[in-house]
């Protein structure tokens, strides 16, 4: 399972971590803006606003620290610093 799920459930399950840190286990989420020329239904301004929000320092800090107090380590690690 992924680290976030493990941290959330580790008090209720008896599992031992067998492997960690391998690049093959990296679970990356990405943002991709669709080219607005591909369809008249694409909300270009909304997409740009969402990307700007997700990449804002405040949002990245929230992601970086999410779960830290409750689980002792963050549940997610943004790639962007």
């Amino acid at each position: 399972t992924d680290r976030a799920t493990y941290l959330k459930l580790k008090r209720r399950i008896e599992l031992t971590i067998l492997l960690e840190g391998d690049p093959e286990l990296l679970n990356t989420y990405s943002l991709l803006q669709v080219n607005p020329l591909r369809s008249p239904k694409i909300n270009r301004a909304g997409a740009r606003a969402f990307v700007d929000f997700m990449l804002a320092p405040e949002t990245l800090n929230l992601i970086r620290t999410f779960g830290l107090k409750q689980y002792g380590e963050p549940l997610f690690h943004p790639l962007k610093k």
Side-chain angles (χ1 to χ4, degrees), residues 48-77:
R48 182 75 252 164
F50 181 67
V51 169
D52 289 345
F53 167 76
M54 290 301 295
L55 296 179
E58 299 84 9
T59 305
L60 292 172
N61 191 53
L62 178 64
I63 294 168
R64 192 176 288 109
T65 59
F66 185 78
L68 186 59
K69 289 181 183 175
Q70 187 172 2
Y71 303 108
E73 62 182 281
L75 298 184
F76 305 102
H77 303 275

Side-chain angles (χ1 to χ4, degrees), residues 2-69:
D2 61 89
R3 179 63 58 137
T5 302
Y6 171 75
L7 291 172
K8 177 92 172 135
L9 299 175
K10 77 178 186 177
R11 293 185 185 139
R12 299 187 299 173
I13 57 176
E14 293 183 30
L15 293 176
T16 302
I17 295 174
L18 300 176
L19 180 64
E20 61 185 326
D22 188 316
E24 292 289 324
L25 298 175
L26 189 61
N27 186 12
T28 303
Y29 290 81
S30 301
L31 292 173
L32 176 68
Q33 279 187 261
V34 177
N35 183 340
L37 300 176
R38 306 284 281 169
S39 171
K41 295 181 179 184
I42 293 173
N43 179 350
R44 182 182 199 160
R48 182 75 252 164
F50 181 67
V51 169
D52 289 345
F53 167 76
M54 290 301 295
L55 296 179
E58 299 84 9
T59 305
L60 292 172
N61 191 53
L62 178 64
I63 294 168
R64 192 176 288 109
T65 59
F66 185 78
L68 186 59
K69 289 181 183 175

